[in-house]
Amino acid sequence: MLASSVQIGADRAEALRPGKGAKATRDATIQRARSLRKMLGGSQRQVGIAAAAGLVAVSTMVERLADDHLAARRLAEGIGRIAGLVAKRPQTNIVQVDVGATGLDATQWESALRRLGVLVRPWGRKRLRCVTHRHVGAEEIDLALAGFTAVAERIA
């Protein structure tokens, strides 16, 4: 049986953009094929790199998740001792910090901490999100706590 359409996938080494293979068929079939390809994730670029990182994480990093969780607990406990800040006890490696009682919103805290080299993300108007991972050890937790303390003292 002959196929009613043909698609040839190619990568940059073959001088075509990823996901943009050569196609030969009717226009309606091409449009349907493009739609189905996008629904299945075929339009993603460099998805193999992301998949490789996921495989490494699942196969070699699971054991060290406990280290990330301990670091998150240490960060939360330290932040909880700073006046005006409330940090929930983390269940994972994510620490939520409520800054609502400080007079600054989360975006202002994020900006002030960034200037001190501490990277956090606003999570709404009154909450920050801090994440520990394999590149965050005891020294980085100490630096983060020093940053939170410095900002809190400056606004007190």
Side-chain angles (χ1 to χ4, degrees):
M1 175 173 146
L2 291 174
S4 64
S5 64
V6 175
Q7 178 175 345
I8 301 169
D11 62 16
R12 289 175 198 236
E14 295 165 331
L16 290 174
R17 294 190 339 221
K20 299 293 183 189
K23 299 172 190 78
T25 190
R26 299 176 315 210
D27 287 344
T29 304
I30 290 174
Q31 292 308 315
R32 174 114 172 98
R34 284 181 180 155
S35 175
L36 290 170
R37 187 183 77 225
K38 286 183 181 183
M39 285 176 23
L40 297 173
S43 63
Q44 295 180 16
R45 304 289 189 257
Q46 303 300 322
V47 75
I49 293 170
L55 288 173
V56 168
V58 168
S59 64
T60 64
M61 298 293 183
V62 173
E63 294 81 24
R64 63 165 321 288
L65 285 176
D67 298 336
D68 296 339
H69 295 184
L70 286 172
R73 270 186 242 129
R74 182 169 168 252
L75 179 62
E77 289 166 2
I79 289 171
R81 289 191 287 270
I82 300 171
L85 299 178
V86 177
K88 292 183 178 181
R89 179 175 166 83
Q91 301 293 316
T92 63
N93 64 327
I94 299 172
V95 178
Q96 299 176 38
V97 182
D98 187 327
V99 298
T102 65
L104 297 181
D105 67 19
T107 303
Q108 292 168 313
W109 268 93
E110 186 268 340
S111 179
L113 288 167
R114 180 185 301 271
R115 285 193 294 274
L116 298 173
V118 179
L119 302 179
V120 299
R121 287 282 178 246
W123 220 6
R125 276 191 40 76
K126 297 180 181 184
R127 189 167 303 200
L128 296 173
R129 178 179 186 257
C130 309
V131 179
T132 60
H133 50 78
R134 71 184 182 105
H135 297 296
V136 177
E139 183 178 338
E140 289 78 16
I141 296 296
D142 291 340
L143 291 170
L145 291 172
F148 274 96
T149 300
V151 174
E153 288 175 350
R154 192 174 66 220
I155 61 175

